Amino acid sequence: FSGCAMADMAESEDVIRAFSQLDEIWGKGSYSPVVYMNSSAEVKSLVGMRDGVVCTSSNADRIVSYALSKGKKVIFLPDEFLGYNTFVKMGLDRSILAYWDYPESFGGNNPNDLKRKSYVIWKGYCHVHTNFSIEDIENARRRFENCRIVVHPECKPDVVQSADASGSTEFIVNYVKNAIPGTTVVVGTELNLIRRLAEEFKDRTIVELKRSMCPNMFKITLSKLRNTLVNLPDLNRVELSSEVKEYSRLALKRMLEIVG
Ligand code: SF4
């Protein structure tokens, strides 16, 4: 079994409690939860029940923008840094921003202050991406003259802002693909992708910003994937209730409708 430490930071009980406290403060129906793909099916279904939408790291800005354009407030979960980097990318006003520290009542906010906020970010994070720092960027620029640095938006905001580019996994792949042969591209994301890119683009130098590995992703090997596919639908079967299936599908469907 392979999970995701970041997804585990938004457990159903905490999300249910957060939504009921936001109902109290903001009013039912006045907000739209936006949940990153790296979240459990149960949490996606809770979001689906509240008119919410799933997003990916490549479309988070379009999904948030859609919700705000409909006059809804937004709670973004579970990744604090994707939530904040999206907020910066959209040029939103800082006065609308608050954080949701999920172990705390009202996410650690004063309920009266929360009333005035319209973009609340859940304080979960990916330890693989928050492992990168400004020092790593500076070291890379010293080590590899004229290098290009690209990072994932799950990294901390100062790292994202100091890199040459940031974007989803697909964006990073295309960034490397479009680099002129001979270029050194320094990549800030999980090591497996960087190794794959280095293997594929041998006429470019592809190096990691820092060695940062996800133990969960390492559990997924080619042979395990093959075994699962060959033995479908019995091996590694995940059973979900019909309610979870219905509402998580709805949240996904809304995303597809919005991004086209
Ligand atoms: S790298 Fe690992 S912890 Fe981070 S989002 Fe991916 S699966 Fe989750």
Side-chain angles (χ1 to χ4, degrees):
F1 174 75
S2 179
C4 166
M6 181 175 75
D8 292 344
M9 291 178 197
E11 292 189 339
S12 298
E13 313 83 77
D14 290 330
V15 174
I16 290 169
R17 187 166 73 119
F19 288 174
S20 94
Q21 292 180 345
L22 287 175
D23 285 349
E24 208 180 298
I25 296 293
W26 282 350
K28 251 187 182 161
S30 67
Y31 65 97
S32 173
V34 174
V35 67
Y36 187 27
M37 190 65 88
N38 296 21
S39 55
S40 69
E42 286 79 7
V43 166
K44 287 186 184 74
S45 75
L46 292 169
V47 164
M49 281 174 204
R50 302 276 174 147
D51 281 338
V53 191
V54 172
C55 76
T56 65
S57 52
S58 60
N59 66 27
D61 54 339
R62 278 179 288 165
I63 302 294
V64 170
S65 169
Y66 178 84
L68 294 174
S69 74
K70 296 276 163 207
K72 301 269 187 169
K73 293 173 183 270
V74 167
I75 175 164
F76 188 99
L77 64 162
D79 185 23
E80 167 181 346
F81 298 104
L82 179 63
Y84 184 75
N85 290 322
T86 301
F87 173 86
V88 171
K89 187 175 173 189
M90 293 172 66
L92 297 172
D93 189 326
R94 244 206 108 76
S95 66
I96 69 167
L97 178 68
Y99 287 93
W100 194 273
D101 199 1
Y102 53 91
E104 307 289 329
S105 182
F106 294 101
N109 294 286
N110 174 315
N112 281 328
D113 291 343
L114 203 53
K115 266 187 202 148
R116 293 188 289 273
K117 307 293 181 184
S118 30
Y119 188 81
V120 170
I121 302 176
W122 192 272
K123 280 180 82 73
Y125 62 91
C126 165
H127 61 99
V128 176
H129 289 92
T130 52
N131 194 15
F132 303 117
S133 65
I134 286 278
E135 289 71 44
D136 298 325
I137 301 250
E138 288 166 356
N139 286 341
R141 294 213 192 275
R142 265 196 297 271
R143 247 181 99 202
F144 306 104
E145 213 186 325
N146 299 325
C147 68
R148 307 299 297 162
I149 303 181
V150 59
V151 301
H152 194 277
E154 287 171 23
C155 295
K156 290 177 183 162
D158 56 353
V159 170
V160 168
Q161 278 150 34
S162 312
D164 297 304
S166 78
S168 63
T169 301
E170 187 189 5
F171 177 92
I172 293 174
V173 171
N174 286 329
Y175 192 87
V176 168
K177 202 185 278 180
N178 295 331
I180 301 165
T183 311
T184 296
V185 185
V186 179
V187 185
T189 194
E190 211 277 333
L191 186 64
N192 279 294
L193 175 70
I194 303 168
R195 283 188 175 159
R196 209 177 79 207
L197 291 171
E199 191 56 37
E200 196 176 333
F201 298 96
K202 288 192 189 296
D203 57 355
R204 280 142 252 210
T205 305
I206 315 297
V207 289
E208 65 259 20
L209 182 55
K210 182 198 283 173
R211 185 153 295 201
S212 196
M213 296 178 279
C214 177
N216 278 310
M217 287 174 79
F218 260 90
K219 288 182 192 161
I220 304 166
T221 63
L222 208 52
S223 63
K224 286 181 189 164
L225 176 64
R226 181 192 170 278
N227 250 351
T228 306
L229 293 174
V230 166
N231 293 293
L232 276 176
D234 302 316
L235 190 69
N236 297 333
R237 192 184 177 106
V238 177
E239 299 282 357
L240 297 172
S241 72
S242 53
E243 186 177 78
V244 167
K245 280 191 232 170
E246 180 187 344
Y247 286 102
S248 54
R249 190 179 290 129
L250 190 59
L252 273 165
K253 199 166 150 255
R254 287 192 192 116
M255 174 185 83
L256 297 174
E257 281 164 6
I258 295 167
V259 297

